[in-house]
Amino acid sequence: MNIRLKRHALPALSLCWIMSACATLPELGRLSDTLEPRAVPVVTRADGTVLPRRSTRELLAKRWSKSGLDLKTQAALEEAATGVPLIAGNKVTLLFDGPHTMGEMLKAIAAAKNHINLETYIFDQDVLGMKFADALIERQRAGVAVSVLYDSVGTLGVPQEFFERMRAAGIRLVAFNPVNPARLRGDAWIINNRDHRKVLIVDGKAAFTGGINISDTYAKSSLFRSKTKRPEQSQLGWRDTHVKIEGPAVAAFNWLFIRTWAGQDAADLPEAQFFPPLGEMGDKLVRVIGSEPGGGFEIFKAYILAIQEARRSIHITSAYFVPDPQTVDALCGAARRGVDVKIVLPGVSDSGLVFHAGHALYDQLLGCGTRIYHLKLAVLHAKTAVIDGVWSTIGSTNIDRRSFLHNSELNVVVLGESFGREMEDAFLEDLRGSVEITPQQWRRRPIADRVKEWAARMVGYWL
């Protein structure tokens, strides 16, 4: 069962979802006209105190791009839209593809001294999954408090013995929103709400997040940034992006993890120093945005706002792309006002329905000036964006209704030109491995593909 199928599980579960009431995204309009931002956005320091206004202005001015976003205004608007402050003094490291990311995560786990909190949509019982399980068990036996929160649909095909082995070693585990109604917690059985986050927190000092699950899918590299001849698709791993964050922002990750754990009516977390004193580790301004079903649509608002305010460029890499009408309108509005809008999407996919549902919107997007590219060879699973070279986001959120409405997701927003350049470099590498879909080419696609697009769009809400 592949990752996307796990995302929707089995046909029987699909029937439950279809029978449930359809939630809707809020009508946002032009966000900058409706929000009431502070004159200067809130920026917290390593000790948790608020940076003075003057210092905040100076900090943001250093990151301001004359030809792009006014970061002070953007930061204040985003704070008003999401209710989440910026956190200064962080080190942010981009991680690409499976072997590199998994190696860094396993290294961090091996060095853990106090606690490990892992939240993941998929935790497979395969070679890589067993390696992580063994590493977590070793740390638990060494006296480290290990807690694992995994999604019950994302792990539907995983034998319970896999998790029981970790539980027997003393690790605390919680299956998010159990599929079996007999294990119901609370009053309602809302099978459609899933925990799609991918977060690893070690000792409250380092946090990893992005699009990568614990699965052998990531055992091979996609040869991202490789200058060598690319092999056949069967020899490649998936193309994804993760980040490692060190510094004061890690506390926000642990806070979100604890809130989600407590919301599952689970046993108490073990005693641990979840919020150690954190000094500055770098110069990156970070906003850690979590969203959940029935919440404030924080990540959706952050995306729409950034797209609406873009002046120069919008560069998006998206694994599953079935945007709602407001997102399409925002992208088209940006393209019409001269913004360079480029979107890298999968050329090959693990989910035919989502693949074709996204294609159903190409006519509209291409017609308004948006440029679309298909990544070849590797399966694309990254979920990133960089706007005007200064506003960047990496996380678990796909640009579709499922992520915005029904999933618990987590995205990191990083403000600044230096990190923006790294993101732009990565985007250019994706373009290097992609082919552009032109309007003329798209109009010549086969009738059979058009029929698939129509059929997929009919069930697009549940994808």
Side-chain angles (χ1 to χ4, degrees):
M1 186 182 291
N2 64 38
I3 287 179
R4 188 68 186 193
L5 284 175
K6 287 179 180 177
R7 196 167 183 253
H8 305 293
L10 303 173
L13 293 180
S14 297
L15 179 61
C16 295
W17 293 343
I18 292 171
M19 291 173 64
S20 66
C22 295
T24 58
L25 290 166
E27 290 293 330
L28 300 181
R30 179 75 186 180
L31 269 172
S32 60
D33 295 337
T34 60
L35 296 172
E36 297 182 1
R38 301 171 189 263
V40 179
V42 171
V43 178
T44 61
R45 290 182 284 204
D47 60 2
T49 59
V50 175
L51 204 63
R53 283 189 173 192
R54 181 175 177 180
S55 299
T56 296
R57 287 194 192 98
E58 293 172 353
L59 189 65
L60 289 167
K62 291 178 182 177
R63 290 159 172 77
W64 181 66
S65 174
K66 292 182 179 179
S67 58
L69 287 173
D70 176 346
L71 279 190
K72 182 174 75 69
T73 300
Q74 178 67 19
L77 286 168
E78 190 170 85
E79 179 191 308
T82 65
V84 180
L86 285 167
I87 305 171
N90 301 283
K91 179 181 179 182
V92 183
T93 306
L94 272 171
L95 301 170
F96 301 108
D97 296 333
H100 183 201
T101 303
M102 295 300 183
E104 289 296 314
M105 291 169 68
L106 286 167
K107 186 164 66 174
I109 288 171
K113 299 288 190 264
N114 182 264
H115 69 274
I116 297 168
N117 290 335
L118 174 64
E119 184 174 1
T120 184
Y121 180 66
I122 291 171
F123 197 158
D124 273 340
Q125 182 183 256
D126 51 26
V127 173
L128 195 56
M130 290 298 293
K131 186 178 291 188
F132 267 80
D134 289 345
L136 294 172
I137 289 171
E138 189 280 327
R139 287 290 82 199
Q140 176 68 40
R141 288 174 174 163
V144 175
V146 181
S147 305
V148 178
L149 182 60
Y150 62 93
D151 188 81
S152 61
V153 167
T155 57
L156 197 61
V158 180
Q160 281 304 302
E161 291 78 9
F162 175 69
F163 298 110
E164 288 303 326
R165 176 171 168 261
M166 286 186 276
R167 188 172 281 112
I171 295 174
R172 287 168 169 81
L173 296 101
V174 169
F176 182 89
N177 200 5
V179 172
N180 184 351
R183 297 175 62 197
L184 175 68
R185 301 184 184 99
D187 299 324
W189 187 52
I190 308 176
I191 192 63
N192 210 13
N193 293 348
R194 308 309 334 153
D195 185 355
H196 195 239
R197 295 171 181 170
K198 293 93 173 158
V199 179
L200 171 67
I201 309 154
V202 177
D203 290 342
K205 297 177 181 178
F208 297 78
T209 197
I212 292 180
N213 290 288
I214 311 299
S215 167
D216 260 354
T217 301
Y218 296 101
K220 295 186 238 180
S221 172
S222 69
L223 293 187
F224 184 77
R225 293 188 172 178
S226 172
K227 304 299 182 183
T228 61
K229 182 179 178 182
R230 299 187 176 218
E232 295 299 318
Q233 180 186 340
S234 61
Q235 299 174 327
L236 288 174
W238 286 25
R239 162 75 184 95
D240 217 328
T241 303
H242 234 57
V243 285
K244 178 183 180 182
I245 295 180
E246 299 164 274
V250 177
F253 285 88
N254 248 344
W255 184 84
L256 286 168
F257 179 89
I258 292 167
R259 190 175 74 174
T260 303
W261 183 282
Q264 290 297 292
D265 193 27
D268 290 343
L269 284 162
E271 292 292 328
Q273 191 177 10
F274 292 121
F275 301 102
L278 295 170
E280 291 192 2
M281 296 293 292
D283 63 351
K284 298 298 183 292
L285 273 172
V286 167
R287 198 186 309 272
V288 181
I289 308 178
S291 66
E292 56 193 24
F297 306 99
E298 292 87 353
I299 296 174
F300 176 61
K301 290 175 180 176
Y303 255 117
I304 292 291
L305 178 64
I307 293 168
Q308 288 178 345
E309 296 300 306
R311 300 178 184 178
R312 188 181 69 209
S313 61
I314 298 170
H315 294 158
I316 294 172
T317 301
S318 184
Y320 305 117
F321 184 77
V322 191
D324 65 287
Q326 291 185 82
T327 303
V328 173
D329 289 346
L331 290 168
C332 282
R336 290 189 183 109
R337 65 177 181 266
V339 175
D340 174 38
V341 182
K342 292 188 176 82
I343 308 172
V344 174
L345 301 173
V348 290
S349 176
D350 66 320
S351 174
L353 274 175
V354 178
F355 193 61
H356 291 295
H359 287 183
L361 297 162
Y362 279 22
D363 282 320
Q364 184 178 352
L365 289 164
L366 291 169
C368 69
T370 296
R371 298 176 70 181
I372 297 173
Y373 300 79
H374 281 178
L375 185 72
K376 294 301 181 182
L377 293 180
V379 174
L380 179 65
H381 197 253
K383 310 138 194 329
T384 67
V386 55
I387 292 178
D388 285 358
V390 294
W391 184 95
S392 305
T393 189
I394 305 97
S396 62
T397 309
N398 294 300
I399 298 180
D400 60 11
R401 288 183 179 87
R402 164 148 296 283
S403 277
F404 292 142
L405 281 170
H406 300 298
N407 289 346
S408 292
E409 305 278 12
L410 191 149
N411 268 49
V412 173
V413 171
V414 184
L415 299 185
E417 289 183 88
S418 62
F419 189 78
R421 280 194 296 271
E422 292 185 62
M423 292 287 288
E424 289 284 15
D425 288 345
F427 185 79
L428 289 173
E429 290 295 334
D430 281 333
L431 286 184
R432 187 171 72 89
S434 303
V435 295
E436 184 169 5
I437 306 301
T438 66
Q440 297 78 13
Q441 174 190 356
W442 190 245
R443 285 194 290 268
R444 294 195 300 269
R445 71 194 186 281
I447 293 294
D449 287 352
R450 296 171 187 260
V451 172
K452 291 174 184 176
E453 292 160 19
W454 175 85
R457 194 168 186 176
M458 292 300 99
V459 295
Y461 175 87
W462 292 280
L463 298 179

